[in-house]
Amino acid sequence: GNSVTQMEGPVTLSEEAFLTINCTYTATGYPSLFWYVQYPGEGLQLLLKATKADDKGSNKGFEATYRKETTSFHLEKGSVQVSDSAVYFCALARSSGSARQLTFGSGTQLTVLP
Amino acid sequence: DAEITQSPRHKITETGRQVTLACHQTWNHNNMFWYRQDLGHGLRLIHYSYGVQDTNKGEVSDGYSVSRSNTEDLPLTLESAASSQTSVYFCASSESGSRHNEQFFGPGTRLTVL
């Protein structure tokens, strides 16, 4: 079946540090890949997405590249801010069947210290 | 502005009681979803609907039911609440037609079953 594996958290960084959160997936066909972010006390919101191999999604300084050869979609940001403190979820939408469902990873808590 | 709302935001109930969590969206989306969020598990799909009168079981549907009588609402019912159902519940909606479509999430309901 489909699954998403994220690096274990929590992750604590100093402001302006480089961020990488690893995400790998298992799926048949060509899934779409997403990163969602959850700020404290809120619901999830879409951060970025990529719909085919080698696509790069980007938003708010975050980037992730859809790597089919390594089945990965790692999230990166060159210089994090305190306001980036949140939980980050990697997710996929599979390419057939009940295609509108999302499968989520377990989430990675990020804390950025001033 | 279109939005998705959930009520109540917090609920404490006792084992064995019936509980209904409300979800209302004004996006006019056909697709609606219920997830539960537990530490270490990310979000897991409980039930989903692709339109009025359509409902489907997700990964963790035992003990839950939904009904879809109109486009805007998908209430989630716990028939006989159990302590294992203590969790944070999120409702989401999306447009039909593409697996790439973003899901929009409500703010969540924190349910405690004593």
Side-chain angles (χ1 to χ4, degrees):
Chain A
N2 301 311
S3 65
V4 176
T5 303
Q6 287 182 237
M7 66 183 287
E8 292 289 328
V11 174
T12 302
L13 296 173
S14 297
E15 206 164 23
E16 299 184 0
F18 184 86
L19 169 70
T20 299
I21 300 178
N22 290 337
C23 171
T24 57
Y25 67 89
T26 302
T28 55
Y30 300 91
S32 292
L33 301 173
F34 305 82
W35 277 101
Y36 280 81
V37 59
Q38 183 181 29
Y39 298 104
E42 299 182 8
L44 281 71
Q45 54 187 275
L46 180 66
L47 180 60
L48 54 84
K49 68 179 182 183
T51 59
K52 60 183 187 296
D54 300 324
D55 266 4
K56 178 185 283 188
S58 61
N59 186 25
K60 300 181 181 180
F62 290 89
E63 294 182 338
T65 301
Y66 187 161
R67 301 287 189 199
K68 188 163 178 62
E69 64 275 14
T70 55
T71 61
S72 65
F73 193 54
H74 305 320
L75 183 67
E76 297 182 337
K77 187 174 185 182
S79 177
V80 294
Q81 305 300 312
V82 172
S83 57
D84 294 326
S85 297
V87 182
Y88 293 81
F89 292 92
C90 187
L92 69 82
R94 55 186 172 176
S95 59
S96 62
S98 302
R100 288 149 283 190
Q101 298 175 44
L102 291 175
T103 299
F104 286 90
S106 58
T108 302
Q109 171 80 55
L110 170 67
T111 300
V112 180
L113 302 176
Chain B
D1 286 349
E3 61 178 355
I4 180 165
T5 57
Q6 294 183 234
S7 62
R9 294 294 311 276
H10 301 272
K11 175 76 176 177
I12 300 174
T13 191
E14 296 177 342
T15 301
R17 290 191 179 270
Q18 184 180 78
V19 177
T20 296
L21 308 182
C23 174
H24 179 81
Q25 53 99 0
T26 58
W27 293 97
N28 200 34
H29 287 161
N30 284 328
N31 304 333
M32 295 186 72
F33 309 85
W34 273 104
Y35 297 89
R36 59 178 288 173
Q37 182 180 26
D38 304 288
L39 196 62
H41 291 280
L43 276 76
R44 292 180 291 176
L45 185 64
I46 305 172
H47 281 285
Y48 58 99
S49 168
Y50 291 153
V52 175
Q53 303 300 333
D54 176 75
T55 61
N56 306 278
K57 294 182 179 180
E59 178 188 1
V60 290
S61 60
D62 287 349
Y64 303 94
S65 64
V66 294
S67 62
R68 186 90 180 269
S69 59
N70 58 53
T71 299
E72 296 78 19
D73 299 289
L74 187 70
L76 177 72
T77 297
L78 287 69
E79 302 294 344
S80 177
S83 58
S84 59
Q85 295 177 307
T86 292
S87 186
V88 181
Y89 292 85
F90 288 98
C91 180
S93 71
S94 69
E95 288 185 62
S96 56
S98 171
R99 61 189 169 88
H100 309 312
N101 289 339
E102 173 183 359
Q103 288 191 15
F104 294 84
F105 284 79
T109 294
R110 183 174 296 276
L111 176 67
T112 302
V113 182
L114 301 176

